[in-house]
Amino acid sequence: GESVGLHLPTLSVQEGDNSIINCAYSNSASDYFIWYKQESGKGPQFIIDIRSNMDKRQGQRVTVLLNKTVKHLSLQIAATQPGDSAVYFCAELYPPGGGNKLTFGTGTQLKVEL
Amino acid sequence: GAVVSQHPSRVICKSGTSVKIECRSLDFQATTMFWYRQFPKQSLMLMATSNEGSKATYEQGVEKDKFLINHASLTLSTLTVTSAHPEDSSFYICSARVTGDGELFFGEGSRLTVL
């Protein structure tokens, strides 16, 4: 979906805690989803992806969960570190099988407190 | 991973002038490149899709005569903001992909400030 907000929602966590960032996507026909991390003044950095035939995928310290029933994605970061502070975006690839344009979600600012 | 380079990273220009931003894939050939615009505290909004050797496809609401996109080679796409105005001040980000389903690689962005 398109972003219409004037500010980003913020999630504050203590260093060492687990973080859960949520995202609602727009199109039920989307079949590929990606989480990106964006640090201030930089381009998006790929974190992890998941296809619609899966409901969970794990990476190093990160896990993505997909619930197609309610069109919901979440990114879990284990043992959050100060270097994880950034804005996190989910993105969906739509339309599937052609065009292949990425549509970004609103984004969530993650702040890690020492 | 593959590297996408943007230049300049920052540019300041006067209102009414034109500014060109380059997006290069350094170690791969990109058949498709995408241009995004990002305002402060907001998400990335797709402006246009650029395919090598053909005209760009613009998203709804993006003025093609104002944002000129050229993808003349498999390693270079350019975005020219013509007759720039202060409201064009934004962070412009490109991404590049080798094939239709290939991974997308993002540039580091170019911050445009129009005075």
Side-chain angles (χ1 to χ4, degrees), chain A residues 2-8 36 38 41-44 46 51 89 93 99-102 104-107 109, chain B residues 10 34 36 38 40-46 49 59 91 93 97 99-101 103-104 106-109 111:
Chain A
E2 292 188 359
S3 169
V4 295
L6 296 179
H7 65 276
L8 293 168
Y36 288 95
Q38 186 180 30
K42 295 186 177 181
F46 174 93
R51 295 203 175 271
F89 293 97
L93 195 65
N100 287 330
K101 295 184 293 187
L102 267 185
F104 283 78
T106 308
Q109 173 86 55
Chain B
R10 291 178 177 269
F34 301 87
Y36 292 84
Q38 186 178 30
K41 303 292 186 183
Q42 294 192 30
S43 186
L44 284 76
M45 301 298 294
L46 180 65
T49 302
E59 294 300 299
F91 195 47
I93 305 170
R97 183 167 62 207
T99 63
D101 291 326
E103 184 178 347
L104 268 178
F106 282 84
E108 287 296 329
R111 183 160 304 282

mmCIF file of all heavy atoms in Angstrom, chain A residues 2-8 36 38 41-44 46 51 89 93 99-102 104-107 109, chain B residues 10 34 36 38 40-46 49 59 91 93 97 99-101 103-104 106-109 111:
data_model
loop_
_atom_site.group_PDB
_atom_site.id
_atom_site.type_symbol
_atom_site.label_atom_id
_atom_site.label_comp_id
_atom_site.label_asym_id
_atom_site.label_seq_id
_atom_site.Cartn_x
_atom_site.Cartn_y
_atom_site.Cartn_z
ATOM 1 N N GLU A 2 0.275 2.339 -0.279
ATOM 2 C CA GLU A 2 1.029 3.581 -0.322
ATOM 3 C C GLU A 2 1.087 4.194 1.069
ATOM 4 O O GLU A 2 0.184 4.039 1.883
ATOM 5 C CB GLU A 2 0.354 4.560 -1.272
ATOM 6 C CG GLU A 2 0.450 4.102 -2.709
ATOM 7 C CD GLU A 2 -0.059 5.185 -3.639
ATOM 8 O OE1 GLU A 2 -0.477 6.224 -3.153
ATOM 9 O OE2 GLU A 2 -0.028 4.950 -4.850
ATOM 10 N N SER A 3 2.148 4.912 1.287
ATOM 11 C CA SER A 3 2.330 5.550 2.581
ATOM 12 C C SER A 3 1.676 6.916 2.547
ATOM 13 O O SER A 3 1.925 7.710 1.666
ATOM 14 C CB SER A 3 3.814 5.671 2.882
ATOM 15 O OG SER A 3 4.006 6.498 4.010
ATOM 16 N N VAL A 4 0.813 7.206 3.484
ATOM 17 C CA VAL A 4 0.214 8.516 3.539
ATOM 18 C C VAL A 4 0.519 9.208 4.847
ATOM 19 O O VAL A 4 0.087 10.315 5.089
ATOM 20 C CB VAL A 4 -1.308 8.418 3.347
ATOM 21 C CG1 VAL A 4 -1.641 7.921 1.964
ATOM 22 C CG2 VAL A 4 -1.929 7.520 4.399
ATOM 23 N N GLY A 5 1.237 8.570 5.726
ATOM 24 C CA GLY A 5 1.500 9.139 7.028
ATOM 25 C C GLY A 5 2.547 10.217 6.965
ATOM 26 O O GLY A 5 3.367 10.281 6.057
ATOM 27 N N LEU A 6 2.513 11.128 7.919
ATOM 28 C CA LEU A 6 3.506 12.178 8.009
ATOM 29 C C LEU A 6 4.583 11.838 9.011
ATOM 30 O O LEU A 6 5.512 12.599 9.184
ATOM 31 C CB LEU A 6 2.808 13.493 8.381
ATOM 32 C CG LEU A 6 1.821 14.029 7.350
ATOM 33 C CD1 LEU A 6 1.182 15.304 7.838
ATOM 34 C CD2 LEU A 6 2.521 14.284 6.024
ATOM 35 N N HIS A 7 4.452 10.753 9.724
ATOM 36 C CA HIS A 7 5.480 10.341 10.646
ATOM 37 C C HIS A 7 5.471 8.832 10.709
ATOM 38 O O HIS A 7 4.484 8.181 10.404
ATOM 39 C CB HIS A 7 5.235 10.949 12.028
ATOM 40 C CG HIS A 7 3.977 10.459 12.670
ATOM 41 N ND1 HIS A 7 2.762 11.010 12.404
ATOM 42 C CD2 HIS A 7 3.747 9.466 13.541
ATOM 43 C CE1 HIS A 7 1.834 10.373 13.083
ATOM 44 N NE2 HIS A 7 2.396 9.434 13.799
ATOM 45 N N LEU A 8 6.607 8.304 11.151
ATOM 46 C CA LEU A 8 6.745 6.858 11.232
ATOM 47 C C LEU A 8 6.385 6.384 12.621
ATOM 48 O O LEU A 8 6.785 6.996 13.620
ATOM 49 C CB LEU A 8 8.184 6.467 10.915
ATOM 50 C CG LEU A 8 8.661 6.699 9.486
ATOM 51 C CD1 LEU A 8 10.153 6.535 9.414
ATOM 52 C CD2 LEU A 8 7.962 5.750 8.542
ATOM 53 N N TYR A 36 13.164 -4.750 4.541
ATOM 54 C CA TYR A 36 14.348 -3.929 4.339
ATOM 55 C C TYR A 36 14.636 -3.116 5.590
ATOM 56 O O TYR A 36 13.731 -2.730 6.324
ATOM 57 C CB TYR A 36 14.149 -2.952 3.179
ATOM 58 C CG TYR A 36 14.155 -3.580 1.818
ATOM 59 C CD1 TYR A 36 12.961 -3.938 1.189
ATOM 60 C CD2 TYR A 36 15.348 -3.812 1.142
ATOM 61 C CE1 TYR A 36 12.963 -4.511 -0.070
ATOM 62 C CE2 TYR A 36 15.351 -4.379 -0.124
ATOM 63 C CZ TYR A 36 14.165 -4.724 -0.723
ATOM 64 O OH TYR A 36 14.171 -5.289 -1.964
ATOM 65 N N GLN A 38 16.559 0.455 6.668
ATOM 66 C CA GLN A 38 17.095 1.688 6.113
ATOM 67 C C GLN A 38 17.656 2.554 7.228
ATOM 68 O O GLN A 38 16.922 3.013 8.103
ATOM 69 C CB GLN A 38 16.029 2.466 5.336
ATOM 70 C CG GLN A 38 16.590 3.682 4.611
ATOM 71 C CD GLN A 38 15.550 4.458 3.835
ATOM 72 O OE1 GLN A 38 14.374 4.490 4.210
ATOM 73 N NE2 GLN A 38 15.951 5.101 2.755
ATOM 74 N N GLY A 41 19.760 8.418 5.872
ATOM 75 C CA GLY A 41 20.536 8.917 4.752
ATOM 76 C C GLY A 41 21.067 7.866 3.815
ATOM 77 O O GLY A 41 21.903 8.156 2.945
ATOM 78 N N LYS A 42 20.592 6.626 3.965
ATOM 79 C CA LYS A 42 21.085 5.545 3.111
ATOM 80 C C LYS A 42 19.936 4.855 2.388
ATOM 81 O O LYS A 42 18.772 5.041 2.714
ATOM 82 C CB LYS A 42 21.844 4.517 3.956
ATOM 83 C CG LYS A 42 23.113 5.061 4.592
ATOM 84 C CD LYS A 42 23.885 3.952 5.280
ATOM 85 C CE LYS A 42 25.185 4.469 5.851
ATOM 86 N NZ LYS A 42 25.971 3.378 6.513
ATOM 87 N N GLY A 43 20.278 4.046 1.411
ATOM 88 C CA GLY A 43 19.286 3.268 0.699
ATOM 89 C C GLY A 43 18.866 2.047 1.506
ATOM 90 O O GLY A 43 19.495 1.686 2.498
ATOM 91 N N PRO A 44 17.775 1.394 1.100
ATOM 92 C CA PRO A 44 17.296 0.203 1.810
ATOM 93 C C PRO A 44 18.279 -0.951 1.695
ATOM 94 O O PRO A 44 18.921 -1.144 0.662
ATOM 95 C CB PRO A 44 15.989 -0.138 1.094
ATOM 96 C CG PRO A 44 15.623 1.076 0.334
ATOM 97 C CD PRO A 44 16.898 1.767 -0.011
ATOM 98 N N PHE A 46 18.573 -5.098 2.142
ATOM 99 C CA PHE A 46 17.812 -6.352 2.218
ATOM 100 C C PHE A 46 18.109 -7.061 3.544
ATOM 101 O O PHE A 46 19.254 -7.188 3.963
ATOM 102 C CB PHE A 46 18.209 -7.244 1.043
ATOM 103 C CG PHE A 46 17.615 -8.628 1.069
ATOM 104 C CD1 PHE A 46 16.435 -8.887 0.405
ATOM 105 C CD2 PHE A 46 18.245 -9.663 1.743
ATOM 106 C CE1 PHE A 46 15.886 -10.171 0.418
ATOM 107 C CE2 PHE A 46 17.710 -10.934 1.765
ATOM 108 C CZ PHE A 46 16.532 -11.178 1.096
ATOM 109 N N ARG A 51 8.346 -16.198 0.515
ATOM 110 C CA ARG A 51 7.359 -16.390 -0.544
ATOM 111 C C ARG A 51 6.037 -16.816 0.077
ATOM 112 O O ARG A 51 5.996 -17.305 1.201
ATOM 113 C CB ARG A 51 7.857 -17.422 -1.552
ATOM 114 C CG ARG A 51 9.087 -16.947 -2.308
ATOM 115 C CD ARG A 51 9.301 -17.629 -3.636
ATOM 116 N NE ARG A 51 10.434 -17.042 -4.341
ATOM 117 C CZ ARG A 51 10.333 -16.005 -5.166
ATOM 118 N NH1 ARG A 51 9.161 -15.445 -5.382
ATOM 119 N NH2 ARG A 51 11.390 -15.520 -5.772
ATOM 120 N N PHE A 89 11.150 -1.487 6.679
ATOM 121 C CA PHE A 89 10.036 -1.488 5.739
ATOM 122 C C PHE A 89 9.756 -2.908 5.271
ATOM 123 O O PHE A 89 10.678 -3.657 4.967
ATOM 124 C CB PHE A 89 10.363 -0.671 4.486
ATOM 125 C CG PHE A 89 10.522 0.798 4.713
ATOM 126 C CD1 PHE A 89 11.776 1.356 4.878
ATOM 127 C CD2 PHE A 89 9.416 1.632 4.733
ATOM 128 C CE1 PHE A 89 11.926 2.713 5.077
ATOM 129 C CE2 PHE A 89 9.555 2.990 4.929
ATOM 130 C CZ PHE A 89 10.818 3.537 5.098
ATOM 131 N N LEU A 93 5.791 -7.733 -3.592
ATOM 132 C CA LEU A 93 6.012 -7.750 -5.030
ATOM 133 C C LEU A 93 4.656 -7.962 -5.699
ATOM 134 O O LEU A 93 4.001 -8.973 -5.518
ATOM 135 C CB LEU A 93 6.959 -8.883 -5.409
ATOM 136 C CG LEU A 93 7.549 -8.810 -6.821
ATOM 137 C CD1 LEU A 93 8.451 -7.594 -6.936
ATOM 138 C CD2 LEU A 93 8.313 -10.077 -7.132
ATOM 139 N N GLY A 99 5.520 -7.499 -14.330
ATOM 140 C CA GLY A 99 5.647 -6.163 -13.759
ATOM 141 C C GLY A 99 6.636 -6.146 -12.628
ATOM 142 O O GLY A 99 7.590 -5.390 -12.638
ATOM 143 N N ASN A 100 6.417 -6.997 -11.655
ATOM 144 C CA ASN A 100 7.372 -7.161 -10.558
ATOM 145 C C ASN A 100 7.797 -5.857 -9.933
ATOM 146 O O ASN A 100 8.978 -5.560 -9.805
ATOM 147 C CB ASN A 100 8.603 -7.934 -11.047
ATOM 148 C CG ASN A 100 8.289 -9.393 -11.252
ATOM 149 O OD1 ASN A 100 7.434 -9.956 -10.582
ATOM 150 N ND2 ASN A 100 8.963 -10.009 -12.175
ATOM 151 N N LYS A 101 6.842 -5.072 -9.549
ATOM 152 C CA LYS A 101 7.139 -3.817 -8.878
ATOM 153 C C LYS A 101 7.015 -4.025 -7.375
ATOM 154 O O LYS A 101 6.088 -4.659 -6.891
ATOM 155 C CB LYS A 101 6.164 -2.724 -9.332
ATOM 156 C CG LYS A 101 6.318 -2.365 -10.803
ATOM 157 C CD LYS A 101 5.408 -1.209 -11.188
ATOM 158 C CE LYS A 101 3.957 -1.584 -11.132
ATOM 159 N NZ LYS A 101 3.097 -0.505 -11.675
ATOM 160 N N LEU A 102 7.962 -3.467 -6.666
ATOM 161 C CA LEU A 102 7.922 -3.525 -5.212
ATOM 162 C C LEU A 102 7.136 -2.352 -4.660
ATOM 163 O O LEU A 102 7.398 -1.213 -5.010
ATOM 164 C CB LEU A 102 9.329 -3.460 -4.640
ATOM 165 C CG LEU A 102 10.089 -4.738 -4.350
ATOM 166 C CD1 LEU A 102 11.402 -4.418 -3.674
ATOM 167 C CD2 LEU A 102 9.283 -5.698 -3.511
ATOM 168 N N PHE A 104 6.248 -0.530 -1.117
ATOM 169 C CA PHE A 104 6.730 -0.478 0.255
ATOM 170 C C PHE A 104 5.620 -0.108 1.222
ATOM 171 O O PHE A 104 4.744 0.690 0.926
ATOM 172 C CB PHE A 104 7.858 0.554 0.373
ATOM 173 C CG PHE A 104 9.171 0.069 -0.160
ATOM 174 C CD1 PHE A 104 9.411 0.036 -1.526
ATOM 175 C CD2 PHE A 104 10.160 -0.369 0.693
ATOM 176 C CE1 PHE A 104 10.621 -0.422 -2.035
ATOM 177 C CE2 PHE A 104 11.369 -0.826 0.209
ATOM 178 C CZ PHE A 104 11.605 -0.854 -1.153
ATOM 179 N N GLY A 105 5.697 -0.686 2.411
ATOM 180 C CA GLY A 105 4.798 -0.315 3.489
ATOM 181 C C GLY A 105 5.238 0.987 4.136
ATOM 182 O O GLY A 105 6.209 1.616 3.725
ATOM 183 N N THR A 106 4.523 1.371 5.161
ATOM 184 C CA THR A 106 4.737 2.659 5.805
ATOM 185 C C THR A 106 6.082 2.759 6.508
ATOM 186 O O THR A 106 6.710 3.804 6.509
ATOM 187 C CB THR A 106 3.622 2.908 6.834
ATOM 188 O OG1 THR A 106 2.369 2.734 6.197
ATOM 189 C CG2 THR A 106 3.706 4.304 7.418
ATOM 190 N N GLY A 107 6.527 1.691 7.097
ATOM 191 C CA GLY A 107 7.798 1.711 7.814
ATOM 192 C C GLY A 107 7.624 1.867 9.308
ATOM 193 O O GLY A 107 6.636 2.444 9.781
ATOM 194 N N GLN A 109 10.084 2.856 12.784
ATOM 195 C CA GLN A 109 11.370 3.288 13.328
ATOM 196 C C GLN A 109 11.682 2.433 14.556
ATOM 197 O O GLN A 109 10.904 2.425 15.518
ATOM 198 C CB GLN A 109 11.311 4.759 13.723
ATOM 199 C CG GLN A 109 12.530 5.271 14.456
ATOM 200 C CD GLN A 109 13.607 5.732 13.512
ATOM 201 O OE1 GLN A 109 13.378 6.570 12.650
ATOM 202 N NE2 GLN A 109 14.803 5.199 13.661
ATOM 203 N N ARG B 10 24.557 13.918 -2.873
ATOM 204 C CA ARG B 10 23.858 15.115 -2.428
ATOM 205 C C ARG B 10 23.997 16.186 -3.501
ATOM 206 O O ARG B 10 25.063 16.350 -4.083
ATOM 207 C CB ARG B 10 24.451 15.652 -1.129
ATOM 208 C CG ARG B 10 24.204 14.789 0.085
ATOM 209 C CD ARG B 10 24.873 15.385 1.325
ATOM 210 N NE ARG B 10 24.589 14.609 2.513
ATOM 211 C CZ ARG B 10 23.570 14.837 3.309
ATOM 212 N NH1 ARG B 10 22.726 15.823 3.043
ATOM 213 N NH2 ARG B 10 23.378 14.089 4.380
ATOM 214 N N PHE B 34 14.621 0.807 -11.304
ATOM 215 C CA PHE B 34 13.464 1.488 -10.735
ATOM 216 C C PHE B 34 13.931 2.756 -10.022
ATOM 217 O O PHE B 34 14.993 2.781 -9.398
ATOM 218 C CB PHE B 34 12.762 0.591 -9.710
ATOM 219 C CG PHE B 34 12.272 -0.724 -10.260
ATOM 220 C CD1 PHE B 34 13.108 -1.822 -10.292
ATOM 221 C CD2 PHE B 34 10.979 -0.852 -10.749
ATOM 222 C CE1 PHE B 34 12.670 -3.044 -10.794
ATOM 223 C CE2 PHE B 34 10.529 -2.066 -11.258
ATOM 224 C CZ PHE B 34 11.371 -3.148 -11.280
ATOM 225 N N TYR B 36 12.762 5.560 -7.139
ATOM 226 C CA TYR B 36 11.867 5.831 -6.026
ATOM 227 C C TYR B 36 12.142 7.239 -5.498
ATOM 228 O O TYR B 36 13.249 7.761 -5.608
ATOM 229 C CB TYR B 36 12.088 4.840 -4.875
ATOM 230 C CG TYR B 36 11.688 3.415 -5.172
ATOM 231 C CD1 TYR B 36 12.555 2.555 -5.837
ATOM 232 C CD2 TYR B 36 10.453 2.920 -4.758
ATOM 233 C CE1 TYR B 36 12.201 1.243 -6.107
ATOM 234 C CE2 TYR B 36 10.093 1.602 -5.024
ATOM 235 C CZ TYR B 36 10.969 0.783 -5.692
ATOM 236 O OH TYR B 36 10.619 -0.520 -5.960
ATOM 237 N N GLN B 38 11.567 9.478 -1.830
ATOM 238 C CA GLN B 38 11.237 9.324 -0.418
ATOM 239 C C GLN B 38 11.303 10.672 0.275
ATOM 240 O O GLN B 38 12.369 11.290 0.337
ATOM 241 C CB GLN B 38 12.205 8.344 0.258
ATOM 242 C CG GLN B 38 11.841 8.016 1.697
ATOM 243 C CD GLN B 38 12.792 7.014 2.320
ATOM 244 O OE1 GLN B 38 13.971 6.955 1.971
ATOM 245 N NE2 GLN B 38 12.294 6.208 3.258
ATOM 246 N N PRO B 40 10.880 12.982 3.844
ATOM 247 C CA PRO B 40 11.274 12.707 5.231
ATOM 248 C C PRO B 40 10.182 11.991 6.010
ATOM 249 O O PRO B 40 9.000 12.342 5.932
ATOM 250 C CB PRO B 40 11.546 14.108 5.783
ATOM 251 C CG PRO B 40 11.939 14.911 4.591
ATOM 252 C CD PRO B 40 11.094 14.387 3.471
ATOM 253 N N LYS B 41 10.578 11.000 6.754
ATOM 254 C CA LYS B 41 9.689 10.233 7.625
ATOM 255 C C LYS B 41 8.615 9.477 6.857
ATOM 256 O O LYS B 41 7.592 9.103 7.427
ATOM 257 C CB LYS B 41 9.009 11.151 8.653
ATOM 258 C CG LYS B 41 9.990 11.938 9.518
ATOM 259 C CD LYS B 41 10.752 11.048 10.447
ATOM 260 C CE LYS B 41 11.618 11.873 11.390
ATOM 261 N NZ LYS B 41 12.439 11.012 12.267
ATOM 262 N N GLN B 42 8.811 9.284 5.575
ATOM 263 C CA GLN B 42 7.822 8.562 4.784
ATOM 264 C C GLN B 42 8.462 7.380 4.068
ATOM 265 O O GLN B 42 9.672 7.174 4.118
ATOM 266 C CB GLN B 42 7.151 9.505 3.778
ATOM 267 C CG GLN B 42 6.313 10.590 4.441
ATOM 268 C CD GLN B 42 5.432 11.319 3.460
ATOM 269 O OE1 GLN B 42 4.994 10.756 2.458
ATOM 270 N NE2 GLN B 42 5.154 12.573 3.745
ATOM 271 N N SER B 43 7.626 6.616 3.423
ATOM 272 C CA SER B 43 8.080 5.412 2.754
ATOM 273 C C SER B 43 8.615 5.733 1.355
ATOM 274 O O SER B 43 8.562 6.871 0.904
ATOM 275 C CB SER B 43 6.921 4.423 2.666
ATOM 276 O OG SER B 43 7.366 3.190 2.149
ATOM 277 N N LEU B 44 9.141 4.723 0.715
ATOM 278 C CA LEU B 44 9.613 4.880 -0.662
ATOM 279 C C LEU B 44 8.425 4.764 -1.605
ATOM 280 O O LEU B 44 7.624 3.833 -1.504
ATOM 281 C CB LEU B 44 10.611 3.780 -1.023
ATOM 282 C CG LEU B 44 12.028 3.899 -0.476
ATOM 283 C CD1 LEU B 44 12.091 3.540 0.996
ATOM 284 C CD2 LEU B 44 12.985 3.022 -1.275
ATOM 285 N N MET B 45 8.317 5.713 -2.516
ATOM 286 C CA MET B 45 7.246 5.707 -3.488
ATOM 287 C C MET B 45 7.843 5.480 -4.877
ATOM 288 O O MET B 45 8.701 6.239 -5.314
ATOM 289 C CB MET B 45 6.488 7.033 -3.454
ATOM 290 C CG MET B 45 5.883 7.362 -2.114
ATOM 291 S SD MET B 45 4.651 6.154 -1.605
ATOM 292 C CE MET B 45 3.397 6.446 -2.837
ATOM 293 N N LEU B 46 7.368 4.457 -5.549
ATOM 294 C CA LEU B 46 7.877 4.164 -6.881
ATOM 295 C C LEU B 46 7.461 5.262 -7.850
ATOM 296 O O LEU B 46 6.281 5.615 -7.916
ATOM 297 C CB LEU B 46 7.349 2.812 -7.354
ATOM 298 C CG LEU B 46 7.793 2.359 -8.741
ATOM 299 C CD1 LEU B 46 9.307 2.131 -8.777
ATOM 300 C CD2 LEU B 46 7.057 1.087 -9.151
ATOM 301 N N THR B 49 9.513 2.785 -13.787
ATOM 302 C CA THR B 49 10.285 1.582 -14.119
ATOM 303 C C THR B 49 11.002 1.845 -15.430
ATOM 304 O O THR B 49 10.371 2.277 -16.422
ATOM 305 C CB THR B 49 9.353 0.371 -14.267
ATOM 306 O OG1 THR B 49 8.640 0.188 -13.044
ATOM 307 C CG2 THR B 49 10.157 -0.881 -14.588
ATOM 308 N N GLU B 59 4.635 5.782 -12.893
ATOM 309 C CA GLU B 59 3.500 5.515 -12.015
ATOM 310 C C GLU B 59 2.502 6.665 -12.119
ATOM 311 O O GLU B 59 2.837 7.786 -12.521
ATOM 312 C CB GLU B 59 3.980 5.353 -10.578
ATOM 313 C CG GLU B 59 4.859 4.137 -10.371
ATOM 314 C CD GLU B 59 4.149 2.840 -10.713
ATOM 315 O OE1 GLU B 59 3.117 2.537 -10.067
ATOM 316 O OE2 GLU B 59 4.632 2.120 -11.619
ATOM 317 N N PHE B 91 14.602 12.614 -1.316
ATOM 318 C CA PHE B 91 15.638 11.588 -1.400
ATOM 319 C C PHE B 91 15.246 10.674 -2.559
ATOM 320 O O PHE B 91 14.166 10.079 -2.534
ATOM 321 C CB PHE B 91 15.683 10.825 -0.070
ATOM 322 C CG PHE B 91 16.902 9.985 0.159
ATOM 323 C CD1 PHE B 91 18.167 10.500 -0.073
ATOM 324 C CD2 PHE B 91 16.789 8.693 0.636
ATOM 325 C CE1 PHE B 91 19.298 9.728 0.161
ATOM 326 C CE2 PHE B 91 17.917 7.919 0.875
ATOM 327 C CZ PHE B 91 19.170 8.431 0.632
ATOM 328 N N ILE B 93 16.004 7.387 -4.828
ATOM 329 C CA ILE B 93 16.701 6.108 -4.699
ATOM 330 C C ILE B 93 16.423 5.267 -5.938
ATOM 331 O O ILE B 93 15.281 5.189 -6.404
ATOM 332 C CB ILE B 93 16.200 5.330 -3.453
ATOM 333 C CG1 ILE B 93 16.344 6.185 -2.193
ATOM 334 C CG2 ILE B 93 16.964 4.014 -3.292
ATOM 335 C CD1 ILE B 93 15.648 5.589 -0.988
ATOM 336 N N ARG B 97 17.829 -4.580 -11.240
ATOM 337 C CA ARG B 97 17.592 -6.025 -11.240
ATOM 338 C C ARG B 97 18.121 -6.613 -12.537
ATOM 339 O O ARG B 97 18.015 -6.013 -13.600
ATOM 340 C CB ARG B 97 16.098 -6.296 -11.098
ATOM 341 C CG ARG B 97 15.728 -7.761 -11.022
ATOM 342 C CD ARG B 97 14.288 -7.928 -10.571
ATOM 343 N NE ARG B 97 13.352 -7.332 -11.499
ATOM 344 C CZ ARG B 97 12.154 -6.882 -11.143
ATOM 345 N NH1 ARG B 97 11.762 -6.935 -9.888
ATOM 346 N NH2 ARG B 97 11.342 -6.373 -12.039
ATOM 347 N N THR B 99 17.291 -9.822 -13.943
ATOM 348 C CA THR B 99 16.229 -10.459 -14.726
ATOM 349 C C THR B 99 14.886 -10.170 -14.079
ATOM 350 O O THR B 99 14.822 -9.544 -13.023
ATOM 351 C CB THR B 99 16.428 -11.987 -14.795
ATOM 352 O OG1 THR B 99 16.340 -12.510 -13.461
ATOM 353 C CG2 THR B 99 17.770 -12.333 -15.387
ATOM 354 N N GLY B 100 13.826 -10.673 -14.697
ATOM 355 C CA GLY B 100 12.489 -10.356 -14.225
ATOM 356 C C GLY B 100 12.234 -10.742 -12.784
ATOM 357 O O GLY B 100 11.534 -10.054 -12.063
ATOM 358 N N ASP B 101 12.793 -11.863 -12.342
ATOM 359 C CA ASP B 101 12.550 -12.303 -10.975
ATOM 360 C C ASP B 101 13.794 -12.212 -10.103
ATOM 361 O O ASP B 101 13.822 -12.753 -9.000
ATOM 362 C CB ASP B 101 12.065 -13.759 -10.980
ATOM 363 C CG ASP B 101 10.683 -13.882 -11.582
ATOM 364 O OD1 ASP B 101 9.887 -12.950 -11.407
ATOM 365 O OD2 ASP B 101 10.410 -14.893 -12.245
ATOM 366 N N GLU B 103 16.896 -10.671 -7.786
ATOM 367 C CA GLU B 103 16.929 -9.845 -6.591
ATOM 368 C C GLU B 103 17.135 -8.379 -6.980
ATOM 369 O O GLU B 103 17.834 -8.048 -7.946
ATOM 370 C CB GLU B 103 18.073 -10.288 -5.685
ATOM 371 C CG GLU B 103 18.150 -9.550 -4.358
ATOM 372 C CD GLU B 103 19.271 -10.058 -3.471
ATOM 373 O OE1 GLU B 103 19.830 -11.131 -3.772
ATOM 374 O OE2 GLU B 103 19.592 -9.374 -2.482
ATOM 375 N N LEU B 104 16.504 -7.514 -6.196
ATOM 376 C CA LEU B 104 16.656 -6.084 -6.398
ATOM 377 C C LEU B 104 17.803 -5.559 -5.547
ATOM 378 O O LEU B 104 17.912 -5.896 -4.372
ATOM 379 C CB LEU B 104 15.383 -5.354 -5.988
ATOM 380 C CG LEU B 104 14.316 -5.096 -7.034
ATOM 381 C CD1 LEU B 104 13.126 -4.424 -6.412
ATOM 382 C CD2 LEU B 104 14.869 -4.232 -8.157
ATOM 383 N N PHE B 106 19.645 -2.008 -4.244
ATOM 384 C CA PHE B 106 19.356 -0.588 -4.105
ATOM 385 C C PHE B 106 20.627 0.249 -4.051
ATOM 386 O O PHE B 106 21.652 -0.174 -3.505
ATOM 387 C CB PHE B 106 18.546 -0.329 -2.827
ATOM 388 C CG PHE B 106 17.087 -0.666 -2.970
ATOM 389 C CD1 PHE B 106 16.651 -1.971 -2.793
ATOM 390 C CD2 PHE B 106 16.163 0.313 -3.299
ATOM 391 C CE1 PHE B 106 15.299 -2.297 -2.939
ATOM 392 C CE2 PHE B 106 14.816 0.000 -3.445
ATOM 393 C CZ PHE B 106 14.387 -1.304 -3.260
ATOM 394 N N GLY B 107 20.514 1.442 -4.606
ATOM 395 C CA GLY B 107 21.581 2.411 -4.463
ATOM 396 C C GLY B 107 21.498 3.085 -3.108
ATOM 397 O O GLY B 107 20.556 2.859 -2.338
ATOM 398 N N GLU B 108 22.457 3.928 -2.811
ATOM 399 C CA GLU B 108 22.517 4.603 -1.524
ATOM 400 C C GLU B 108 21.687 5.884 -1.488
ATOM 401 O O GLU B 108 21.608 6.542 -0.466
ATOM 402 C CB GLU B 108 23.977 4.924 -1.156
ATOM 403 C CG GLU B 108 24.787 3.702 -0.756
ATOM 404 C CD GLU B 108 24.273 3.058 0.505
ATOM 405 O OE1 GLU B 108 23.739 3.764 1.391
ATOM 406 O OE2 GLU B 108 24.382 1.827 0.628
ATOM 407 N N GLY B 109 21.090 6.229 -2.596
ATOM 408 C CA GLY B 109 20.214 7.388 -2.617
ATOM 409 C C GLY B 109 20.925 8.683 -2.960
ATOM 410 O O GLY B 109 22.135 8.819 -2.776
ATOM 411 N N ARG B 111 20.273 12.833 -2.338
ATOM 412 C CA ARG B 111 19.419 13.832 -1.675
ATOM 413 C C ARG B 111 19.460 15.129 -2.478
ATOM 414 O O ARG B 111 20.511 15.740 -2.644
ATOM 415 C CB ARG B 111 19.887 14.100 -0.253
ATOM 416 C CG ARG B 111 18.951 15.090 0.457
ATOM 417 C CD ARG B 111 19.040 15.056 1.950
ATOM 418 N NE ARG B 111 18.808 13.751 2.535
ATOM 419 C CZ ARG B 111 17.616 13.201 2.694
ATOM 420 N NH1 ARG B 111 16.523 13.824 2.290
ATOM 421 N NH2 ARG B 111 17.499 12.012 3.260
#
